[in-house]
Amino acid sequence: MSKKFTTEKLEKAEKTVGIICKSAMLNILVIGEVEEGLTPNLEKMAEAVKNHFGLDESVMENYRKKIEEISEETSVPQITNEDAEEAREIIYEMCDATESVAEAMAHVRTVADMIFIWNPVLINE
């Protein structure tokens, strides 16, 4: 069974992967987690969004390239409340379609953590 998504939905899904990437970058720079903690969970969630919405593999190649290029001089572009809410809704839509409750809950927890790391920025927007 092939899933059909509107162009707008696919664009939002691709943007969501970008927001997840920015979140991973911020987490690496602030917390220092690269191979443990939230960072690998964010990558798993980005991969799940890519797979669910049938996005091109280049989306994840770009994600990984940005993560590999992080240095102390890296500046992470901010996200807005609207961006965070849109990303959360895309992830929740993916979770609704997931047959595994454990997988869905893992993504729900990860998106909650992702929003939390942006919290000071989003509150002061």
Side-chain angles (χ1 to χ4, degrees), residues 17-70:
V17 172
I19 290 169
I20 296 168
C21 182
K22 289 178 187 178
S23 302
M25 293 169 67
L26 185 62
N27 192 58
I28 291 167
L29 291 168
V30 174
I31 308 294
E33 294 178 337
V34 177
E35 296 182 12
E36 71 276 338
L38 182 58
T39 302
N41 292 340
L42 288 166
E43 184 171 348
K44 287 177 194 170
M45 189 168 66
E47 185 75 39
V49 170
K50 180 202 70 88
N51 291 339
H52 177 76
F53 289 96
L55 301 177
D56 190 78
E57 184 59 38
S58 64
V59 171
M60 287 308 296
E61 290 169 2
N62 186 45
Y63 180 106
R64 290 182 188 104
K65 181 180 176 198
K66 286 182 179 181
I67 297 300
E68 289 171 6
E69 292 175 349
I70 291 175

Side-chain angles (χ1 to χ4, degrees), residues 91-92 94-110:
I91 293 162
Y92 284 177
M94 176 188 70
C95 289
D96 286 342
T98 301
E99 293 184 19
S100 167
V101 174
E103 182 181 342
M105 286 308 300
H107 294 312
V108 168
R109 286 184 188 99
T110 300

Side-chain angles (χ1 to χ4, degrees), residues 70-95:
I70 291 175
S71 71
E72 291 179 13
E73 291 79 37
T74 300
S75 174
V76 180
Q78 300 295 322
I79 66 169
T80 65
N81 267 321
E82 183 179 303
D83 289 342
E85 290 172 6
E86 189 174 276
R88 183 188 62 209
E89 291 308 311
I90 288 290
I91 293 162
Y92 284 177
E93 180 179 328
M94 176 188 70
C95 289

